[in-house]
Amino acid sequence: MSLVLDPAAQDLLFREARTANAFSEEPVTEEQVQAIYDLVKFGPTAFNQTPLRITLVRSPEARERLVKHMATGNDAKTATAPLVAILSADNEFHEELPQLLPHFPQAKDAFFAERPVREQSALLNSALQAAYFIIGIRAAGLAAGPMTGADFAGIQKEFLDADHTPIMVINIGKPAAEGAWFDRSPRLAFDEVVTTV
């Protein structure tokens, strides 16, 4: 059975897309980022929660502050990418639930009154939203370089607060003409992953 999505779009989002390691100098505009978010905000989450927060690192001063927290190998990529985003989980996301879940506003207190429960839910659902964000970057014709190799405690102290947990850093831009990609790494086959019961 074929997919409904056009094969060219399948290639853009999945088959031909890879993590970018080098980018052109072409800037990424605020309008592009807004279009990406306005598309991917519709991805499903539990209780329609929206814990993902995106901190765009644009100024040279902020970039320098971020680069010092990146792991060796990720630091140079982050220093030269046209745009860098710090993705974090807002552990106080439950305050927005009455707005986001108007048919069940009591979910805020019924399910998320305890901080450890909120932190677990925020981590899972912000990771879902981060994946949607990466797909949205690709849908915009840009490349994403998501990274978890960083000093996240340092990033939290430098850019966030105690209610926001950093989950990844993403370099964003048009891929460089040369050296943007590593060769495609293998993937597991269907029958290695899927079990029918």
Side-chain angles (χ1 to χ4, degrees):
M1 182 169 124
S2 62
L3 300 173
V4 173
L5 189 66
D6 178 79
Q10 295 173 37
D11 288 343
L12 177 71
L13 300 179
F14 295 101
R15 284 191 288 262
E16 299 299 324
R18 284 177 278 170
T19 295
N21 295 296
F23 298 88
S24 76
E25 294 181 2
E26 185 177 331
V28 177
T29 68
E30 203 74 16
E31 292 77 18
Q32 286 173 301
V33 178
Q34 183 167 346
I36 291 164
Y37 178 75
D38 286 341
L39 173 67
V40 303
K41 68 183 178 185
F42 296 108
T45 59
F47 292 93
N48 200 37
Q49 64 185 267
T50 307
L52 182 69
R53 297 295 178 266
I54 303 166
T55 303
L56 300 178
V57 181
R58 288 197 179 274
S59 74
E61 179 268 336
R63 183 73 62 102
E64 188 175 316
R65 287 167 44 214
L66 175 60
V67 166
K68 70 182 182 182
H69 296 292
M70 301 305 296
T72 302
N74 289 341
D75 50 359
K77 293 185 278 191
T78 301
T80 58
L83 178 63
V84 182
I86 301 168
L87 304 191
S88 61
D90 182 354
N91 296 304
E92 297 298 310
F93 70 87
H94 68 305
E95 296 294 345
E96 299 158 343
L97 286 180
Q99 170 193 346
L100 297 173
L101 205 65
H103 64 281
F104 187 27
Q106 61 271 36
K108 171 186 176 233
D109 298 314
F111 293 98
F112 300 108
E114 301 295 326
R115 175 74 179 225
V117 173
R118 288 199 306 274
E119 288 178 350
Q120 183 178 13
S121 190
L123 183 61
L124 172 63
N125 287 281
S126 64
L128 279 173
Q129 290 187 284
Y132 304 144
F133 187 64
I134 292 167
I135 300 300
I137 291 168
R138 294 172 174 181
L142 301 170
M147 299 168 293
T148 56
D151 170 14
F152 283 123
I155 289 173
Q156 182 177 33
K157 185 175 179 181
E158 191 89 40
F159 291 95
L160 306 170
D161 59 34
D163 288 330
H164 294 80
T165 304
I167 61 170
M168 72 177 64
V169 174
I170 301 182
N171 295 328
I172 305 169
K174 290 278 189 185
E178 293 183 18
W181 322 111
F182 295 137
D183 290 339
R184 167 74 77 193
S185 296
R187 297 296 193 268
L188 296 177
F190 178 87
D191 59 3
E192 295 176 284
V193 174
V194 179
T195 302
T196 303
V197 295

